[in-house]
Structures are given as C-alpha cells and as structure tokens.
Amino acid sequence: MLTAAVRDLHQLHPGKFVTDVRTSCPELWEHNPRITSLEEDDPKVRHIQCHYPLIQRANHEPWHFLHGYSQYLGQQLGIDLHPTAFRGDIHLSPAERKRPSPVEEAHGDAGPYWIIVAGGKYDYTIKWWHRRRWQEVVDRLQDRITFVQVGGEGDYHPPLRGVIDMRGKTTLRELVRLVYWSEGVLSPVTSLPHLAAAVPLPPHRNRERPCVVVAGGREPPHWEAYPWHRFLHTVGSLPCCASGGCWKSRAVPLGDGSEHDAPKHLCQDFSTAAGLPRCMDLISTDQVIEAITSYPNTHEHQPRFQAAPQKSERQKTSRKKARF
C-alpha cells in the first residue's frame, strides 16, 4: 500500500520530492524508479513515520486501503494526495521479466498455474478457511487448473494434495515473480490479493490478473477489494458484521500469551461443527469454484503438472494448538 502512496506523490507533484523508504519489506521496492538513496542523518531529509488511520473510518465511509497511506502522507506534507491508480506499484527489472517463473525453475515447465494460499498467520486466525474446503476446491478443479501452494514458514499452511508445493520455498522477490507469471490467485485476505493487483502483467496478457478472495465478514469489501477481483464476503449476513467488518483477530483463543486471545479480539459467532467463524462457514466450495471459473480461460485448461498421490500429514503447531 505504501508503494502506491509514493507513486501518487510523484504522479501528482512531479519533480517536487526525492523519496527513500525504510520498511520491513525492502524487496518490494527493488527496481522502483521513484526511490532515491538518501542518508538518514542528512539534515535536509525529513523522516515521516507512515500510518493509515483511515482504517478507523473504513466501516462507515467508502475508502479503499489505497487511500490510507496516501491520505496520511498528504496530510503530513500539506498537499493533496490521493490514489492515481487502483493498485499498488511493484516493479520488475527487464532481467526478472525474461526469467522463467520460479515454478519452471524448480519443477520444469508445469504449464499455466494459479497460486493458492490455504492458511495464514496465527495472529489473525479469523481469516482462515478450513483446509478441507481448500482441498475440495483443488480436487474438483484438478483437470482445469494447476495450483501452486505458497505460504510463509512459521505460519499455518497445511499441505494440499495435487498441488505444486512451494510453501516456505520462495523469497519475497521470488513470490513477486511467481505472481507475475501466474494465471490467477486464490487466497484469504492476505498480502497475495494486493500483490495480484500491484504486480504488472506479462506482455502477452491483455486482461487483469484474476483473483478470488475468501473474505468472510472481518473487513468491509470496499476497503480490500479490487474491481476485477471476486471478493467473497458475508458482511451484512450476521449480526456481528451487519453493517461493516467485525475486525476481530482470532476464531478461538490459542493460549500462547498473545493479546489476540483477549475476549475483545475473539470471534463472536464461531461454528464448532464447521470449525470456522460463522461468516467463513457461509462461504461454500461451490461459491469459490464458481468465482474461479467465472473468469475466461478457466474452462478448457488442461494442466500439464501431474501430482503423485500424497499421504496426509499431521500438522505440527508446536506451542500453538487449535482446530481449524
């Protein structure tokens, strides 16, 4: 989201600012022409700690996440600043664009593929959909789509059968290239839908990159969704998200000492039978499959990748134990 704000700054006020950043994800800024190396102790350099307080108004006013950093940065600089494009601003070098995808480099040419995220971080388990539902989607689309599963080490990403497993095997920069060559993205509300929008398209593609998001009722759709994404939400379906997102953190407490176990951060309507927050339980595999296949070119595709039968694995969550 901050990449968008820096883009907007230079687009709306060309030649007036020189910018550099310090973030937890420096790889997202590689090859960005709007970044100039600046010395932190240079007295001419102004430091601005960026925030997006606009999120506090997201349930009641029609803002997108893209407005968050842009509006805040504009206020700090005393200038008008607003989104100039409906996406973040990720750049690839000519060499990166020429390289084959990380899938092809690791596994050979597996044909067109979709990226799938079937888990998430432990601090926001309320965003998780059930692993059995992700597996059902993969199984029912196995003759149409090759799925590449990704996920960060240390987070919850149960292995799926019949996919190309790249969990914990990509750097952030490799993930950018993985998105670049992908046909589409299937994910809960994570960084991947934002990357799906922000990463440019290969030259042979003339349609926006498809993305299906299993979102539930945590966040209002206008805050997260992009116009060409299929954002499957349930805001308005339950009392806890009747007019906006609930913004809770966890489905059930994990007992790990985190502040996210506090009652105020826990789901108010958890379905024990489904092992899911009610808002996520309302989203069926049929809905997800219909959303995926509503995009062009997902009907006739015959994947080249063939996965060998895989024995199920017992997930080891060490100090964190939960049933999802």
Side-chain angles (χ1 to χ4, degrees), residues 84-154:
T84 59
F86 212 143
R87 64 185 77 240
D89 190 48
I90 305 298
H91 296 261
L92 282 81
S93 69
E96 287 179 311
R97 292 172 184 262
K98 291 179 181 179
R99 285 181 64 179
S101 75
V103 174
E104 186 172 346
E105 290 178 338
H107 300 277
D109 185 4
Y113 63 86
W114 275 57
I115 295 172
I116 184 171
V117 179
K121 296 182 179 180
Y122 285 99
D123 49 356
Y124 293 107
T125 66
I126 200 168
K127 299 182 181 183
W128 297 359
W129 205 39
H130 204 289
R131 63 183 182 275
R132 287 196 292 269
R133 301 194 188 194
W134 295 116
Q135 185 64 63
E136 183 179 350
V137 170
V138 171
D139 291 345
R140 290 173 59 184
L141 292 175
Q142 62 180 337
D143 293 330
R144 305 188 200 179
I145 295 175
T146 294
F147 284 102
V148 176
Q149 186 180 5
V150 301
E153 288 184 312

Side-chain angles (χ1 to χ4, degrees), residues 7 27 67 119 131 133 150-151 153 170 180 191-192 271 282 288 295:
R7 173 201 62 212
E27 289 175 292
H67 291 91
R131 63 183 182 275
R133 301 194 188 194
V150 301
E153 288 184 312
T170 62
Y180 177 72
S191 63
L192 262 297
S271 170
L282 290 174
V288 174
Y295 286 106

Side-chain angles (χ1 to χ4, degrees), residues 25 99 103 132 141 169 172 186 211 240 245 268 275 323-324:
C25 302
R99 285 181 64 179
V103 174
R132 287 196 292 269
L141 292 175
K169 299 176 183 177
L172 182 52
L186 172 61
C211 182
C240 48
Q268 297 178 1
R323 296 178 62 189
F324 296 102

Side-chain angles (χ1 to χ4, degrees), residues 6 10 17-22 29 31-42 44-45 47:
V6 173
H10 290 278
F17 297 94
V18 177
T19 52
D20 198 2
V21 295
R22 300 291 185 272
W29 299 89
H31 312 296
N32 191 318
R34 300 178 175 95
I35 297 301
T36 302
S37 179
L38 298 174
E39 296 296 331
E40 294 188 31
D41 57 356
D42 186 337
K44 296 180 181 179
V45 171
H47 297 257

Side-chain angles (χ1 to χ4, degrees), residues 271-283:
S271 170
T272 304
L276 286 171
R278 190 85 54 189
C279 65
M280 296 296 278
D281 182 34
L282 290 174
I283 301 173

